[in-house]
Structures are given as structure tokens and as C-alpha cells.
Amino acid sequence: MPVHLTGRRPRTGLLLTLLCLLAPAAWAQTTTESFDSGTKPTYPAAPVPLATGSWIFDDALLGTDAQDHRAGAQAARLQQAGTLTMDFFLPDGASTVSVQHAAYGTDATSAFELWYQTQGCDTWVRAGQPVVATTYSLQTASFPVNVPGGLRFQLRKVTGGSARLNLDNFTVTAFTTTAPPPPVAGDNQHLTMGNPSGAVADLGMPTNYLLEKTQYALSYHRDRGTPNWVSWYLAPVWIGSASRQNDFRADPTLPAGWYQVGSGSYSGSGFDRGHNCPSADRTSTVADNSATFLMTNMIPQAPNNNQQSWADLENYGRTLVDAGNELYIIMGAYGKGGTGSAGYAETLDQGRVQVPRRVWKVIVVLPRGTNDVSRVSAATRIIAIDTPNDNGMVRGWGQYRTSVDAIEAATGLDLLSALPTSVQQVVEAQVDSGPTN
């Protein structure tokens, strides 16, 4: 379902009071803005006449150089918190929207979002989930909208700072009373398989606060000092030769005023600083590896849990990638109180960090390909495990296998929520029986 938030307005604020007076452009049932017409060589905010109508480019331009990844003559290029905003309303609503995206040149990755505004209303509504542009070739992301009547769209670059982003071939399928097929979620994104708790980057949700890194996405629980879950995509593009950085540190992206769990918060506790997204899953660059050492990616984990069964499972996951697969992985913890090398504890760091009782992980294994959500079926291997956070646990992750349904029942999460309900009902009830090494 779309997330209803009062979003930022286009920085050309006066236009909001004028747009309802503009005659809408005539759009066919499916229309694509290719960004191949019009000219805008600089970043400052300005209207740009394009084939579909006038758009406001802010911190954005029309790129034509060799580093712009584009389908035709040019593509939109956004920097910082750039936006592309329709300066007109579509008369026939929208069922789905798709857009091609890539990191500009060899810049770092960044994320973008799609927002819409209905005619006569100042509120912006986000459609779907943020999409992270992780590759240097155009990929397609699709967003569900299903809104009739007049509306317009805005594309927002929301992470990555000075890293630039190319967007191209923005396609709107008009609203129809016939239910469209479920949209294909953007492949290769950390939330392709869904947002398990509906986390949002909203200060009003401090126990379910969405943090989206280039390397992974997570729901953070301010009062526990740990993530509820961390979700990431694993494929060869993320594995390289960067060394382990070991730069454990507080996460400076937490909202102002929130306690930042630090590198020494677990010291002397008998618990490891246990990664959710592992260091060895992010070795493509030094920056990628370093990002896994933010303390928002950690839980207090019993050493024999972290260094034995969990390390074995992480290594096994990478062998699946080496064998030609891509993985969608979600990890989390629940309950209160675990047993580390120094005995039982419920909290650390003067009560600021809660020790979980159980630790779980779900891995969706797919042969490398496209349209990943639509390829998940009863034959797809899904590994789900749930282990005690106890230093006395027996090594061997295979004995802790369970079903996704069981983890959902224990945590209250909705895992793999991007899958059609009929598929979820089948695959989430199964318990993996495949090899463990």
C-alpha cells in the first residue's frame, strides 16, 4: 500500500497554486517520457519543455555525455536532493509507473522515490518503496499506483549526496477499472522482496525507523539500540577484494537527539558485535565493507552463535552466489535476554542496548535473472533459520531450520510481502531440506 506522508513540495512553490489552472496534456493509455527532447545543461531549478509536457528540473539536468547511462539521445541526471516534477496533471490517473535508472558514470549508488499528487490536493503520496540504483547500466523499476483522475508525479533523489543518478524512459500506464497484474518490483534492490514491518523514515516511528544505506536497508528500534531487521541483496557485483575494515562506529545518520550506540557499547559484555549484513557480503569496495561496521547493523550476539553457526551459514550463502545464484536475505532478532561468554544478560550499555533471545534469517535463492519477484514459486529454495542467542548452542545451522510462517508468528513481521499472496501461502509454509555446505 502507498505510504501517505506530507512530502516536500517542488521548490518552485508558486507553481503549486497555478498548476490546477493549466490544461492537462493529452496522454495515451501508456505513454513514455524519454527525456530525448528539450535542453537543460545545468542543475539550477527551471522548467523544461518535453514531449509529454513541461517538467520542473531542480538539481537536475538533461545529460548527453558519455558517462550518462541513457536509452536514447539523453537522460535526466540528478545530484544531491534533485527532483523531476511534472508541471501538469494527467487526466486519466495511473495504474503503474516504471522508470529506468542507473548510477551516473562510475559514481557511488544512490536511491530515488516516486511520489504523486492528486489534482486539488497539496499532499504528496509516495508510491511503492525507494529504489537503489546499484548498477552502471539501466535497470527498470516498477511502482504500483492505481489512482484514477487527475494526478502528477515527482521523482526524488533521496540518498547518495553528490553521487549522481540517471533516470530515463518514465512510463505511465493509465488507470483502468480492470485490475492490472501485480507490478514487477525493482530487481536487485534490498527491499525487492518487501518491507517486513512497513518501516518509514518518520520521527514518529522511533521503534520502526527506516534506514536505507547503499549497501542494505533496515528497520531500527531506537529504544532497543538494535535493528528489528536488516535486508540486503547479494550477487557477484557486491563481492570483490576489499579487505575487512573493522571500523565499528556509531551511525551518524540517526535522527538528531537519538542515542548512538558506539563501538565500545558491547565491551566486556561477553557478546560479539554481531553483523546482520556480513562484512564478507560487501567486499566490492572499501566504502561498502566499511558500511557494514555501523552499529545500526549490529546485535549483541553470543560468540559461539556468531562465529560458528552463523558464520557457516554466511559462507554457505556466498557459495550459492558462486554457483550462479542471486540471494535476497533478511535477518533479525527478537525476544529479550541471551547468554554470552560471560553469562546471561538482558541489556548492555547501561540499559541502552537490548540483548535478543533469538536470532533469525531468511534467504531467497534464485538463479541469476530478471523479474525476480515473479520468478519465486513453490520450487524456489527459501532457507529460514531461527537460533537461540546462547553461547552453548550446538554448531550446525541446518538443525535450526524452520518456516517463514513460524518466524512471522514469532516476530509479527510480514516477510516476503512483495510476493503474490498465493505464492506466499505456499513458500512461507515450507521448511528447507537442501544441503548445508
Side-chain angles (χ1 to χ4, degrees), residues 347-385:
T347 64
L348 314 177
D349 196 11
Q350 299 180 329
R352 298 187 182 99
V353 178
Q354 181 169 304
V355 178
R357 180 172 56 86
R358 307 283 300 188
V359 188
W360 58 269
K361 179 176 281 187
V362 171
I363 304 174
V364 179
V365 184
L366 289 170
R368 288 200 286 274
T370 58
N371 296 338
D372 293 344
V373 166
S374 66
R375 292 192 295 128
V376 177
S377 70
T380 299
R381 186 178 185 190
I382 297 178
I383 302 169
I385 72 166

Side-chain angles (χ1 to χ4, degrees), residues 3 40 42 48 55 71 80 90 96 140 152 185 261 333 414:
V3 180
K40 189 175 188 293
T42 58
V48 183
W55 291 61
Q80 301 298 340
L90 310 184
T96 60
T140 300
R152 63 175 182 152
V261 178
D414 184 8

Side-chain angles (χ1 to χ4, degrees), residues 150-336:
L151 79 169
R152 63 175 182 152
F153 290 98
Q154 182 181 77
L155 290 157
R156 303 179 179 180
K157 182 175 179 291
V158 293
T159 69
S162 61
R164 291 157 292 183
L165 167 72
N166 281 132
L167 297 176
D168 206 352
N169 284 343
F170 182 87
T171 300
V172 177
T173 301
F175 179 80
T176 174
T177 54
T178 301
V184 176
D187 283 350
N188 309 344
Q189 306 300 315
H190 305 315
L191 294 176
T192 289
M193 294 295 157
N195 181 327
S197 59
V200 177
D202 182 341
L203 290 174
M205 297 180 66
T207 63
N208 187 26
Y209 188 84
L210 183 65
L211 288 171
E212 291 192 274
K213 313 294 185 185
T214 299
Q215 298 80 11
Y216 51 86
L218 65 98
S219 163
Y220 189 71
H221 197 300
R222 180 198 63 188
D223 300 339
R224 294 177 185 162
T226 59
N228 299 305
W229 52 262
V230 180
S231 183
W232 67 100
Y233 170 70
L234 183 59
V237 68
W238 288 105
I239 299 175
S241 58
S243 61
R244 182 182 170 96
Q245 297 304 296
N246 281 319
D247 52 345
F248 292 93
R249 64 201 186 279
D251 189 337
T253 68
L254 286 173
W258 287 21
Y259 180 72
Q260 294 187 3
V261 178
S263 61
S265 292
Y266 295 13
S267 295
S269 68
F271 291 92
D272 285 358
R273 295 170 292 194
H275 283 69
N276 283 257
C277 178
S279 164
D281 280 7
R282 292 293 180 259
T283 55
S284 182
T285 68
V286 168
D288 286 342
N289 188 263
S290 177
T292 69
F293 289 90
L294 292 168
M295 292 302 293
T296 49
N297 184 42
M298 304 294 163
I299 57 170
Q301 198 166 2
N304 287 343
N305 181 298
N306 180 40
Q307 299 171 29
Q308 296 182 9
S309 294
W310 281 91
D312 293 344
L313 178 57
E314 291 165 5
N315 289 332
Y316 179 66
R318 289 185 288 273
T319 68
L320 293 174
V321 173
D322 291 341
N325 297 292
E326 55 187 336
L327 310 182
Y328 291 96
I329 308 171
I330 314 167
M331 176 176 167
Y334 66 93
K336 185 176 183 179

